[in-house]
Amino acid sequence: GYVFNYRAIKGSITGFWTEQYNSTERLSFYDDEFQTFMNYALTNVRKSYRGVELGMQVNITPSLSVALAGTFSKYKYKNRPMGTRSYENGMAPDTTQVVYLKNYYVSGTPQTCASLSLNWRAPGMWFFELNGTYMGDSYISLAPNRHEERSDVLSNFNSLEEYEAWITDFTKQDKLKNVFVLNASIGKVIYLSRSSSLNFNLNVTNLLNNKDVQTSGYQQCRINTKDYLNTTTRYPNKYYYAQGLKVFLNILKRMV
């Protein structure tokens, strides 16, 4: 990392590279193939987190400043972990197989993000901030049973090309929509005495009332065993969405 601090500009730039080994992930789901509730454990999972982060503040005047923060990163699975099925109805002993996750993206957070803020410390102890944030390259969570070997279903297809096209669609990891969100806040400090004050802060998030902000998503673990071709149609990916415009008012009394 590198930190800089000058009269009108300060900030830091940091590069990071983290390797995570031998982790375990667990989930439970209803398995249509075996008609039972299934407990599933991924073991020996390896992930890689690499990226660059930047944070910077520019003082335009003593009371007006601009802040910039951003990251560009890649979070990926780096091996083929082992997946162990535990059949809740006891119809079969636990089974373990290879799960083909190598080079798929790790879900849970945007991997590209940038935020630009304008801050004004106005006369009379007023504070104003306008913030725009861009978030992109965020991916849905994977269903590990969709990434096991599937050569046993080849007989359900009329040709090898049809089978390969189905595999591509069946295992595809969708990316969430890139999004821009605008936020604003107004603050005011009122001194009641030498030892106490009232702080008022009004925050408005998602100022543009964008209701198409996807926060996360996942592949369904259910599989249409009667018609493999229509699995992604019958059991499509599921998504979560953020609320639209939100307003928060905070009033805080401080004692010195």
Side-chain angles (χ1 to χ4, degrees), residues 31-78:
D31 196 315
D32 294 82
E33 294 180 282
F34 301 98
Q35 298 182 347
T36 181
F37 199 72
M38 188 72 67
N39 297 302
Y40 199 106
L42 277 174
T43 56
N44 192 32
V45 180
R46 179 185 171 190
K47 299 176 182 177
S48 177
Y49 301 83
R50 306 180 187 182
V52 177
E53 295 178 341
L54 170 68
M56 184 171 61
Q57 179 176 308
V58 180
N59 296 321
I60 301 173
T61 70
S63 60
L64 184 64
S65 64
V66 175
L68 172 66
T71 182
F72 177 76
S73 53
K74 294 293 182 185
Y75 307 152
K76 285 188 172 185
Y77 289 94
K78 299 303 290 184

Short mmCIF file of all heavy atoms in Angstrom, two decimals, residues 31-78:
data_model
loop_
_atom_site.label_atom_id
_atom_site.label_comp_id
_atom_site.label_asym_id
_atom_site.label_seq_id
_atom_site.Cartn_x
_atom_site.Cartn_y
_atom_site.Cartn_z
N ASP A 31 -33.73 -32.51 -2.52
CA ASP A 31 -33.12 -33.10 -3.71
C ASP A 31 -34.16 -33.91 -4.48
O ASP A 31 -34.59 -34.97 -4.03
CB ASP A 31 -31.94 -33.98 -3.31
CG ASP A 31 -31.03 -34.29 -4.49
OD1 ASP A 31 -31.56 -34.62 -5.57
OD2 ASP A 31 -29.80 -34.22 -4.32
N ASP A 32 -34.56 -33.38 -5.65
CA ASP A 32 -35.57 -34.07 -6.46
C ASP A 32 -35.06 -35.40 -7.01
O ASP A 32 -35.84 -36.32 -7.24
CB ASP A 32 -36.00 -33.17 -7.64
CG ASP A 32 -36.70 -31.92 -7.17
OD1 ASP A 32 -36.00 -30.97 -6.80
OD2 ASP A 32 -37.94 -31.90 -7.18
N GLU A 33 -33.76 -35.49 -7.23
CA GLU A 33 -33.20 -36.72 -7.79
C GLU A 33 -33.38 -37.91 -6.85
O GLU A 33 -33.64 -39.03 -7.29
CB GLU A 33 -31.72 -36.52 -8.10
CG GLU A 33 -31.44 -35.53 -9.20
CD GLU A 33 -29.96 -35.36 -9.47
OE1 GLU A 33 -29.30 -34.65 -8.69
OE2 GLU A 33 -29.48 -35.95 -10.45
N PHE A 34 -33.25 -37.65 -5.54
CA PHE A 34 -33.34 -38.74 -4.56
C PHE A 34 -34.57 -38.62 -3.67
O PHE A 34 -34.76 -39.41 -2.76
CB PHE A 34 -32.06 -38.76 -3.70
CG PHE A 34 -30.81 -38.95 -4.51
CD1 PHE A 34 -30.03 -37.86 -4.87
CD2 PHE A 34 -30.43 -40.21 -4.95
CE1 PHE A 34 -28.88 -38.02 -5.63
CE2 PHE A 34 -29.28 -40.39 -5.72
CZ PHE A 34 -28.50 -39.29 -6.07
N GLN A 35 -35.37 -37.60 -3.92
CA GLN A 35 -36.63 -37.39 -3.21
C GLN A 35 -36.44 -37.41 -1.69
O GLN A 35 -37.15 -38.08 -0.96
CB GLN A 35 -37.67 -38.42 -3.64
CG GLN A 35 -38.02 -38.33 -5.12
CD GLN A 35 -39.08 -39.32 -5.54
OE1 GLN A 35 -39.40 -40.25 -4.81
NE2 GLN A 35 -39.63 -39.13 -6.74
N THR A 36 -35.50 -36.61 -1.25
CA THR A 36 -35.25 -36.48 0.18
C THR A 36 -34.61 -35.13 0.46
O THR A 36 -34.04 -34.50 -0.44
CB THR A 36 -34.31 -37.60 0.69
OG1 THR A 36 -34.11 -37.45 2.10
CG2 THR A 36 -32.95 -37.52 0.01
N PHE A 37 -34.71 -34.71 1.71
CA PHE A 37 -34.00 -33.50 2.14
C PHE A 37 -32.52 -33.85 2.25
O PHE A 37 -32.16 -34.87 2.82
CB PHE A 37 -34.55 -33.02 3.47
CG PHE A 37 -34.23 -31.59 3.77
CD1 PHE A 37 -34.87 -30.57 3.08
CD2 PHE A 37 -33.31 -31.25 4.73
CE1 PHE A 37 -34.60 -29.24 3.36
CE2 PHE A 37 -33.03 -29.93 5.02
CZ PHE A 37 -33.67 -28.92 4.32
N MET A 38 -31.67 -33.03 1.67
CA MET A 38 -30.25 -33.35 1.55
C MET A 38 -29.40 -32.33 2.30
O MET A 38 -29.58 -31.13 2.17
CB MET A 38 -29.85 -33.35 0.07
CG MET A 38 -28.45 -33.86 -0.20
SD MET A 38 -28.32 -35.65 0.01
CE MET A 38 -29.36 -36.23 -1.35
N ASN A 39 -28.47 -32.83 3.10
CA ASN A 39 -27.43 -31.99 3.70
C ASN A 39 -26.17 -32.16 2.87
O ASN A 39 -25.76 -33.28 2.57
CB ASN A 39 -27.17 -32.41 5.16
CG ASN A 39 -28.40 -32.21 6.02
OD1 ASN A 39 -28.91 -31.10 6.12
ND2 ASN A 39 -28.88 -33.27 6.64
N TYR A 40 -25.57 -31.03 2.51
CA TYR A 40 -24.47 -31.06 1.55
C TYR A 40 -23.30 -30.27 2.14
O TYR A 40 -23.47 -29.13 2.60
CB TYR A 40 -24.92 -30.43 0.23
CG TYR A 40 -24.07 -30.77 -0.97
CD1 TYR A 40 -24.53 -31.65 -1.93
CD2 TYR A 40 -22.82 -30.20 -1.14
CE1 TYR A 40 -23.77 -31.96 -3.05
CE2 TYR A 40 -22.05 -30.51 -2.25
CZ TYR A 40 -22.53 -31.39 -3.20
OH TYR A 40 -21.76 -31.70 -4.29
N ALA A 41 -22.11 -30.88 2.12
CA ALA A 41 -20.91 -30.22 2.66
C ALA A 41 -19.83 -30.19 1.58
O ALA A 41 -19.49 -31.21 0.99
CB ALA A 41 -20.40 -30.96 3.88
N LEU A 42 -19.32 -28.98 1.34
CA LEU A 42 -18.17 -28.81 0.45
C LEU A 42 -16.92 -28.71 1.32
O LEU A 42 -16.87 -27.91 2.25
CB LEU A 42 -18.31 -27.52 -0.36
CG LEU A 42 -19.15 -27.54 -1.63
CD1 LEU A 42 -19.28 -26.13 -2.18
CD2 LEU A 42 -18.52 -28.45 -2.68
N THR A 43 -15.92 -29.52 1.03
CA THR A 43 -14.68 -29.50 1.82
C THR A 43 -13.50 -29.25 0.89
O THR A 43 -13.57 -29.46 -0.32
CB THR A 43 -14.49 -30.83 2.56
OG1 THR A 43 -14.51 -31.92 1.63
CG2 THR A 43 -15.60 -31.03 3.60
N ASN A 44 -12.40 -28.82 1.52
CA ASN A 44 -11.16 -28.51 0.80
C ASN A 44 -11.40 -27.44 -0.26
O ASN A 44 -10.89 -27.51 -1.38
CB ASN A 44 -10.57 -29.77 0.16
CG ASN A 44 -9.15 -29.54 -0.35
OD1 ASN A 44 -8.40 -28.76 0.22
ND2 ASN A 44 -8.81 -30.19 -1.45
N VAL A 45 -12.17 -26.41 0.11
CA VAL A 45 -12.47 -25.31 -0.81
C VAL A 45 -11.31 -24.32 -0.78
O VAL A 45 -10.85 -23.89 0.28
CB VAL A 45 -13.78 -24.60 -0.42
CG1 VAL A 45 -14.07 -23.47 -1.40
CG2 VAL A 45 -14.93 -25.60 -0.39
N ARG A 46 -10.86 -23.94 -1.96
CA ARG A 46 -9.82 -22.92 -2.06
C ARG A 46 -10.36 -21.73 -2.84
O ARG A 46 -10.95 -21.90 -3.91
CB ARG A 46 -8.58 -23.46 -2.76
CG ARG A 46 -7.46 -22.41 -2.90
CD ARG A 46 -6.30 -22.93 -3.70
NE ARG A 46 -5.36 -21.84 -4.01
CZ ARG A 46 -4.34 -21.97 -4.85
NH1 ARG A 46 -4.10 -23.10 -5.47
NH2 ARG A 46 -3.55 -20.92 -5.08
N LYS A 47 -10.15 -20.52 -2.29
CA LYS A 47 -10.60 -19.29 -2.95
C LYS A 47 -9.45 -18.30 -3.03
O LYS A 47 -8.55 -18.30 -2.19
CB LYS A 47 -11.76 -18.65 -2.18
CG LYS A 47 -13.00 -19.52 -2.07
CD LYS A 47 -14.06 -18.84 -1.22
CE LYS A 47 -15.29 -19.71 -1.03
NZ LYS A 47 -16.29 -19.07 -0.14
N SER A 48 -9.52 -17.45 -4.04
CA SER A 48 -8.50 -16.42 -4.22
C SER A 48 -9.17 -15.06 -4.30
O SER A 48 -10.17 -14.88 -5.00
CB SER A 48 -7.70 -16.68 -5.50
OG SER A 48 -6.76 -15.66 -5.73
N TYR A 49 -8.62 -14.09 -3.55
CA TYR A 49 -9.13 -12.72 -3.53
C TYR A 49 -7.99 -11.78 -3.92
O TYR A 49 -7.00 -11.67 -3.19
CB TYR A 49 -9.64 -12.35 -2.14
CG TYR A 49 -10.74 -13.25 -1.60
CD1 TYR A 49 -10.44 -14.47 -0.99
CD2 TYR A 49 -12.07 -12.87 -1.69
CE1 TYR A 49 -11.44 -15.29 -0.50
CE2 TYR A 49 -13.09 -13.68 -1.19
CZ TYR A 49 -12.76 -14.88 -0.60
OH TYR A 49 -13.76 -15.69 -0.11
N ARG A 50 -8.14 -11.12 -5.06
CA ARG A 50 -7.10 -10.20 -5.52
C ARG A 50 -7.75 -8.89 -5.94
O ARG A 50 -8.84 -8.89 -6.51
CB ARG A 50 -6.35 -10.79 -6.71
CG ARG A 50 -5.75 -12.16 -6.49
CD ARG A 50 -5.04 -12.65 -7.74
NE ARG A 50 -4.59 -14.04 -7.61
CZ ARG A 50 -3.92 -14.69 -8.55
NH1 ARG A 50 -3.61 -14.07 -9.68
NH2 ARG A 50 -3.55 -15.93 -8.35
N GLY A 51 -7.05 -7.79 -5.69
CA GLY A 51 -7.61 -6.53 -6.13
C GLY A 51 -6.79 -5.33 -5.72
O GLY A 51 -5.74 -5.43 -5.10
N VAL A 52 -7.32 -4.18 -6.10
CA VAL A 52 -6.72 -2.88 -5.79
C VAL A 52 -7.80 -1.99 -5.22
O VAL A 52 -8.94 -1.95 -5.72
CB VAL A 52 -6.11 -2.23 -7.05
CG1 VAL A 52 -5.55 -0.85 -6.71
CG2 VAL A 52 -5.03 -3.11 -7.66
N GLU A 53 -7.47 -1.26 -4.13
CA GLU A 53 -8.40 -0.34 -3.51
C GLU A 53 -7.81 1.06 -3.49
O GLU A 53 -6.59 1.22 -3.28
CB GLU A 53 -8.72 -0.77 -2.07
CG GLU A 53 -9.45 -2.10 -1.98
CD GLU A 53 -9.71 -2.52 -0.54
OE1 GLU A 53 -9.01 -1.98 0.36
OE2 GLU A 53 -10.58 -3.37 -0.31
N LEU A 54 -8.65 2.06 -3.69
CA LEU A 54 -8.22 3.45 -3.70
C LEU A 54 -9.16 4.28 -2.85
O LEU A 54 -10.38 4.16 -2.96
CB LEU A 54 -8.19 4.01 -5.13
CG LEU A 54 -7.99 5.52 -5.27
CD1 LEU A 54 -6.57 5.91 -4.84
CD2 LEU A 54 -8.26 5.97 -6.71
N GLY A 55 -8.60 5.12 -2.00
CA GLY A 55 -9.38 6.08 -1.24
C GLY A 55 -8.68 7.43 -1.30
O GLY A 55 -7.47 7.52 -1.11
N MET A 56 -9.44 8.50 -1.56
CA MET A 56 -8.81 9.81 -1.76
C MET A 56 -9.79 10.92 -1.40
O MET A 56 -10.99 10.82 -1.65
CB MET A 56 -8.37 9.95 -3.22
CG MET A 56 -7.61 11.20 -3.54
SD MET A 56 -6.92 11.12 -5.23
CE MET A 56 -8.43 10.98 -6.20
N GLN A 57 -9.26 11.99 -0.82
CA GLN A 57 -10.06 13.18 -0.52
C GLN A 57 -9.34 14.42 -1.03
O GLN A 57 -8.14 14.60 -0.77
CB GLN A 57 -10.31 13.31 0.98
CG GLN A 57 -11.12 14.55 1.35
CD GLN A 57 -11.45 14.62 2.82
OE1 GLN A 57 -11.98 13.68 3.39
NE2 GLN A 57 -11.13 15.74 3.45
N VAL A 58 -10.07 15.26 -1.73
CA VAL A 58 -9.53 16.50 -2.29
C VAL A 58 -10.26 17.67 -1.65
O VAL A 58 -11.50 17.75 -1.71
CB VAL A 58 -9.69 16.55 -3.82
CG1 VAL A 58 -9.12 17.86 -4.36
CG2 VAL A 58 -9.01 15.36 -4.47
N ASN A 59 -9.53 18.57 -1.03
CA ASN A 59 -10.11 19.76 -0.41
C ASN A 59 -10.13 20.89 -1.44
O ASN A 59 -9.08 21.46 -1.76
CB ASN A 59 -9.31 20.16 0.82
CG ASN A 59 -9.36 19.11 1.91
OD1 ASN A 59 -10.41 18.51 2.15
ND2 ASN A 59 -8.24 18.89 2.58
N ILE A 60 -11.32 21.21 -1.94
CA ILE A 60 -11.46 22.28 -2.93
C ILE A 60 -11.36 23.64 -2.25
O ILE A 60 -10.68 24.56 -2.73
CB ILE A 60 -12.80 22.12 -3.67
CG1 ILE A 60 -12.85 20.75 -4.37
CG2 ILE A 60 -12.97 23.25 -4.70
CD1 ILE A 60 -14.18 20.44 -5.00
N THR A 61 -12.04 23.78 -1.12
CA THR A 61 -11.95 24.96 -0.26
C THR A 61 -11.88 24.44 1.18
O THR A 61 -12.07 23.24 1.42
CB THR A 61 -13.16 25.89 -0.43
OG1 THR A 61 -14.32 25.25 0.13
CG2 THR A 61 -13.42 26.22 -1.90
N PRO A 62 -11.65 25.30 2.17
CA PRO A 62 -11.65 24.82 3.56
C PRO A 62 -12.95 24.14 3.98
O PRO A 62 -12.95 23.33 4.91
CB PRO A 62 -11.39 26.09 4.36
CG PRO A 62 -10.61 26.96 3.43
CD PRO A 62 -11.19 26.70 2.07
N SER A 63 -14.06 24.45 3.31
CA SER A 63 -15.35 23.88 3.71
C SER A 63 -15.94 22.91 2.68
O SER A 63 -16.94 22.27 2.95
CB SER A 63 -16.36 24.99 3.98
OG SER A 63 -16.57 25.77 2.81
N LEU A 64 -15.33 22.81 1.50
CA LEU A 64 -15.86 21.97 0.43
C LEU A 64 -14.81 20.94 0.03
O LEU A 64 -13.67 21.29 -0.28
CB LEU A 64 -16.25 22.82 -0.79
CG LEU A 64 -16.91 22.08 -1.96
CD1 LEU A 64 -18.26 21.50 -1.54
CD2 LEU A 64 -17.10 23.02 -3.15
N SER A 65 -15.20 19.66 0.02
CA SER A 65 -14.28 18.60 -0.33
C SER A 65 -14.97 17.53 -1.17
O SER A 65 -16.20 17.39 -1.15
CB SER A 65 -13.68 17.96 0.92
OG SER A 65 -14.70 17.33 1.69
N VAL A 66 -14.15 16.79 -1.90
CA VAL A 66 -14.63 15.67 -2.72
C VAL A 66 -13.89 14.41 -2.26
O VAL A 66 -12.66 14.43 -2.11
CB VAL A 66 -14.37 15.92 -4.21
CG1 VAL A 66 -14.76 14.68 -5.03
CG2 VAL A 66 -15.16 17.13 -4.70
N ALA A 67 -14.62 13.34 -2.05
CA ALA A 67 -14.04 12.06 -1.62
C ALA A 67 -14.31 11.01 -2.68
O ALA A 67 -15.42 10.92 -3.23
CB ALA A 67 -14.60 11.63 -0.28
N LEU A 68 -13.30 10.21 -2.97
CA LEU A 68 -13.40 9.14 -3.96
C LEU A 68 -12.91 7.84 -3.34
O LEU A 68 -11.85 7.81 -2.71
CB LEU A 68 -12.56 9.47 -5.19
CG LEU A 68 -12.41 8.36 -6.24
CD1 LEU A 68 -13.76 8.05 -6.89
CD2 LEU A 68 -11.38 8.75 -7.30
N ALA A 69 -13.69 6.78 -3.50
CA ALA A 69 -13.28 5.46 -3.04
C ALA A 69 -13.68 4.44 -4.09
O ALA A 69 -14.72 4.58 -4.75
CB ALA A 69 -13.94 5.13 -1.70
N GLY A 70 -12.85 3.42 -4.26
CA GLY A 70 -13.17 2.42 -5.26
C GLY A 70 -12.33 1.18 -5.11
O GLY A 70 -11.29 1.18 -4.44
N THR A 71 -12.79 0.11 -5.73
CA THR A 71 -12.03 -1.13 -5.75
C THR A 71 -12.27 -1.84 -7.07
O THR A 71 -13.37 -1.79 -7.65
CB THR A 71 -12.43 -2.05 -4.58
OG1 THR A 71 -11.64 -3.25 -4.62
CG2 THR A 71 -13.89 -2.45 -4.65
N PHE A 72 -11.23 -2.50 -7.55
CA PHE A 72 -11.33 -3.38 -8.71
C PHE A 72 -10.70 -4.69 -8.30
O PHE A 72 -9.52 -4.73 -7.92
CB PHE A 72 -10.60 -2.79 -9.92
CG PHE A 72 -10.61 -3.70 -11.12
CD1 PHE A 72 -11.75 -3.82 -11.90
CD2 PHE A 72 -9.49 -4.44 -11.45
CE1 PHE A 72 -11.78 -4.69 -13.00
CE2 PHE A 72 -9.50 -5.29 -12.56
CZ PHE A 72 -10.65 -5.41 -13.33
N SER A 73 -11.46 -5.78 -8.34
CA SER A 73 -10.98 -7.03 -7.77
C SER A 73 -11.54 -8.23 -8.51
O SER A 73 -12.47 -8.12 -9.31
CB SER A 73 -11.35 -7.10 -6.28
OG SER A 73 -12.75 -6.88 -6.12
N LYS A 74 -10.96 -9.39 -8.20
CA LYS A 74 -11.41 -10.67 -8.72
C LYS A 74 -11.40 -11.67 -7.58
O LYS A 74 -10.37 -11.92 -6.98
CB LYS A 74 -10.50 -11.17 -9.85
CG LYS A 74 -10.53 -10.32 -11.11
CD LYS A 74 -11.87 -10.37 -11.81
CE LYS A 74 -11.86 -9.55 -13.10
NZ LYS A 74 -13.20 -9.49 -13.74
N TYR A 75 -12.59 -12.24 -7.27
CA TYR A 75 -12.72 -13.25 -6.24
C TYR A 75 -13.18 -14.54 -6.92
O TYR A 75 -14.28 -14.57 -7.49
CB TYR A 75 -13.74 -12.85 -5.18
CG TYR A 75 -13.50 -11.48 -4.56
CD1 TYR A 75 -14.56 -10.74 -4.05
CD2 TYR A 75 -12.22 -10.94 -4.48
CE1 TYR A 75 -14.35 -9.50 -3.47
CE2 TYR A 75 -12.01 -9.69 -3.91
CZ TYR A 75 -13.08 -8.98 -3.41
OH TYR A 75 -12.87 -7.74 -2.85
N LYS A 76 -12.35 -15.60 -6.86
CA LYS A 76 -12.67 -16.81 -7.60
C LYS A 76 -12.38 -18.08 -6.77
O LYS A 76 -11.54 -18.08 -5.88
CB LYS A 76 -11.85 -16.87 -8.89
CG LYS A 76 -12.31 -15.94 -9.98
CD LYS A 76 -11.57 -16.22 -11.28
CE LYS A 76 -12.14 -15.43 -12.44
NZ LYS A 76 -11.48 -15.78 -13.72
N TYR A 77 -13.11 -19.15 -7.15
CA TYR A 77 -12.75 -20.49 -6.67
C TYR A 77 -11.54 -20.95 -7.47
O TYR A 77 -11.49 -20.78 -8.70
CB TYR A 77 -13.91 -21.46 -6.90
CG TYR A 77 -15.08 -21.24 -5.98
CD1 TYR A 77 -16.16 -20.44 -6.39
CD2 TYR A 77 -15.15 -21.85 -4.73
CE1 TYR A 77 -17.25 -20.23 -5.55
CE2 TYR A 77 -16.24 -21.65 -3.89
CZ TYR A 77 -17.28 -20.85 -4.31
OH TYR A 77 -18.36 -20.64 -3.48
N LYS A 78 -10.58 -21.58 -6.77
CA LYS A 78 -9.33 -21.93 -7.43
C LYS A 78 -9.07 -23.44 -7.49
O LYS A 78 -8.00 -23.87 -7.92
CB LYS A 78 -8.15 -21.25 -6.72
CG LYS A 78 -8.22 -19.73 -6.71
CD LYS A 78 -8.29 -19.17 -8.12
CE LYS A 78 -6.99 -19.34 -8.88
NZ LYS A 78 -7.05 -18.70 -10.22
#
